[in-house]
Amino acid sequence: MFLHFITAMHRWRGIFLINVPLVAVALCGCIAWLSWRHPSHGQVKLDLGGSALVMTTLLALTLVLVKGNDWGWTSRVVLSLGVTSALTLIAFVWMEAHVSAPMVPLALFKDRQFNGAVLATVLSGVFMVGLLVLMPSFFTKVQSKTELMAAIMITPASMMIFIFSPISGFLLAKLGARRVIFSGSLAIATGYGVLSLMSPSQYWQFALAALLVGAGYGTIIGPITVLAAGDFTGELLTASQSVIGVFRQIGTSLAVAIFVSALAANLTTAKTQIRTYATTTVTTLSIPKQAKRDTLRVVDHQLATEQTAQTVHEPITAAKARRLVAANYMQVLKARSLQSAPVRIKAQIHQQVAQKVHSQVKHTNHRIRTAASAIKAKTKIELTAAFMRPYQVAWPFTLLLVMTTWCFAGRERKSGKPS
């Protein structure tokens, strides 16, 4: 919410301002509390090869997901990036198995609970960020809310994370890992079910979905660091915490890439349908060709900004009507060779022309307003569907998150009872 408030005041560049005081505080803390001595603990080897390979893998995969719709999913560039991502991932795994000081010790993945923590971290991050990355744009572009109001409208999700993250540790001790992860996963799945079936014009339905997804994410992400540690000790324990943090960032990146890419593809289809509908609607109108072109130009502008068309109160304004009267009046005088006619005759002709033009303008404005209302309704329907479809497609995949529950131990594990 705070970030949206900043962007409302200073546009998108304002989000970088929040880092300035935080960096200043961190710098002062380092100077005041950290030791300036450099004790020697032996030479530490860096896995530079593994770092390069994993960065290449993530870069290629992200480019495919983000730009696939623009470049074409079957284009040579996208296919090459996909192959590159797969090959570098295989090379990374091979290197980590053979290097002396691996960036990601593969021994971590021999532990079932650690694997569950990785999957739960990535999937819950995808579903949580997926909610936060699209809905603010939906509220501002489709429902014409301000950036600040959009931030307030998605606050229920953030509020539930704030509430449930602290208490999830208490629930973990009382209920056990399996039940806690299951409850959080089920809440996210239910929230996505509400998102898939809701009427976006009814805010309370979205608020319910946001509460469920936020509560589920807070329940999962709170104890996940503890669960990832498992029974590890020494270097593996340290590595488990670092790796789970990396996968948390991967989940965020994948969410942005997947949902934004899906939205872009949906918007392209929606714009085509809206433009076709608008062209058909306007072409059939009994209005001047220039009025048709002006109306379609307004539609194109609205589509370029991905917003619902605004109501046109007077498509042909009073000033434009006066210019039409003057032009038609001069044409009548020229056609009838009345340029030298008495003033009284010219006044009568001007009055007749004005009455006729104003009648035509009134008729044209009425038709354009009717067409604009129909186009606006169609635009809102298509854009709403474009924003909601990613959630409908994602809903079945929330079952994967629920299935990660069985990677975790039950409450009775410590007592030696079966879980």
Side-chain angles (χ1 to χ4, degrees):
M1 176 178 174
F2 179 70
L3 290 180
H4 286 283
F5 175 78
I6 292 294
T7 55
M9 298 295 102
H10 303 283
R11 311 304 298 170
W12 64 269
R13 292 179 178 85
I15 62 175
F16 298 103
L17 296 176
I18 192 175
N19 295 319
V20 176
L22 295 178
V23 170
V25 171
L27 181 60
C28 293
C30 290
I31 295 173
W33 297 315
L34 294 183
S35 174
W36 290 88
R37 297 181 180 180
H38 182 63
S40 177
H41 296 292
Q43 188 176 3
V44 178
K45 295 182 179 180
L46 297 178
D47 185 10
L48 298 178
S51 300
L53 286 172
V54 75
M55 285 190 293
T56 303
T57 299
L58 294 176
L59 175 61
L61 178 60
T62 302
L63 281 174
V64 168
L65 294 174
V66 173
K67 302 299 292 184
N69 188 61
D70 295 333
W71 293 343
W73 293 103
T74 58
S75 66
R76 182 177 301 178
V77 175
V78 170
L79 292 177
S80 298
L81 287 170
V83 171
T84 300
S85 179
L87 292 178
T88 52
L89 177 60
I90 294 172
F92 172 73
V93 174
W94 181 88
M95 178 171 286
E96 298 306 282
H98 293 83
V99 73
S100 59
M103 172 184 172
V104 179
L106 298 184
L108 292 172
F109 297 96
K110 295 179 181 179
D111 185 89
R112 187 182 72 174
Q113 184 157 292
F114 178 80
N115 292 332
V118 168
L119 291 173
T121 297
V122 173
L123 292 174
S124 62
V126 167
F127 296 131
M128 183 65 211
V129 177
L131 173 72
L132 299 179
V133 77
L134 296 190
M135 291 310 296
S137 294
F138 171 75
F139 290 136
T140 55
K141 292 185 176 183
V142 180
Q143 295 194 342
S144 301
K145 307 294 184 182
T146 64
E147 286 83 357
L148 180 58
M149 180 56 66
I152 294 173
M153 293 173 76
I154 66 170
T155 299
S158 303
M159 179 181 66
M160 296 307 285
I161 297 174
F162 178 79
I163 293 174
F164 275 83
S165 291
I167 68 173
S168 58
F170 172 79
L171 296 176
L172 182 64
K174 293 293 183 181
L175 302 178
R178 183 173 294 176
R179 292 174 182 173
V180 169
I181 299 300
F182 177 77
S183 61
S185 302
L186 186 62
I188 291 178
T190 306
Y192 264 72
V194 175
L195 282 173
S196 302
L197 303 174
M198 73 176 186
S199 173
S201 59
Q202 302 294 321
Y203 173 71
W204 69 267
Q205 296 181 19
F206 168 76
L208 175 60
L211 289 171
L212 287 169
V213 174
Y217 183 77
T219 301
I220 292 173
I221 211 65
I224 208 69
T225 303
V226 176
L227 296 175
D231 297 323
F232 297 131
T233 58
E235 293 184 358
L236 284 181
L237 175 60
T238 303
S240 70
Q241 304 306 290
S242 301
V243 171
I244 207 69
V246 170
F247 275 104
R248 184 177 291 114
Q249 297 304 317
I250 289 175
T252 300
S253 300
L254 287 178
V256 174
I258 292 171
F259 279 86
V260 170
S261 178
L263 176 62
N266 294 340
L267 287 176
T268 299
T269 302
K271 289 177 183 179
T272 301
Q273 294 176 347
I274 295 167
R275 188 62 170 79
T276 301
Y277 177 83
T279 301
T280 302
T281 302
V282 173
T283 301
T284 58
L285 295 178
S286 300
I287 60 176
K289 292 183 178 179
Q290 184 60 44
K292 293 180 180 180
R293 288 193 291 269
D294 292 342
T295 302
L296 290 176
R297 192 177 298 115
V298 172
V299 173
D300 289 338
H301 173 72
Q302 296 296 333
L303 290 179
T305 57
E306 299 169 0
Q307 294 179 333
T308 54
Q310 301 299 316
T311 303
V312 181
H313 298 288
E314 291 296 337
I316 302 178
T317 62
K320 187 179 291 186
R322 286 194 295 270
R323 290 195 295 270
L324 289 173
V325 170
N328 280 270
Y329 170 65
M330 295 304 297
Q331 288 179 358
V332 170
L333 291 182
K334 185 176 181 180
R336 298 181 183 179
S337 301
L338 295 175
Q339 291 91 337
S340 302
V343 174
R344 181 176 59 83
I345 299 299
K346 288 184 176 181
Q348 291 177 350
I349 294 174
H350 186 276
Q351 183 178 8
Q352 293 172 358
V353 169
Q355 290 177 347
K356 183 177 180 180
V357 168
H358 286 305
S359 176
Q360 291 176 342
V361 166
K362 182 178 180 181
H363 176 73
T364 300
N365 279 345
H366 174 71
R367 286 182 174 271
I368 293 177
R369 282 196 299 269
T370 302
S373 297
I375 294 171
K376 180 179 181 179
K378 176 68 173 179
T379 301
K380 190 167 187 177
I381 290 173
E382 293 295 336
L383 292 183
T384 297
F387 274 90
M388 293 298 109
R389 197 169 294 119
Y391 300 116
Q392 295 166 355
V393 173
W395 184 18
F397 292 94
T398 59
L399 294 179
L400 295 175
L401 179 59
V402 177
M403 292 171 62
T404 63
T405 299
W406 279 268
C407 293
F408 298 94
R411 185 183 176 187
E412 297 83 4
R413 178 179 179 180
K414 291 183 178 180
S415 62
K417 296 179 182 180
S419 59

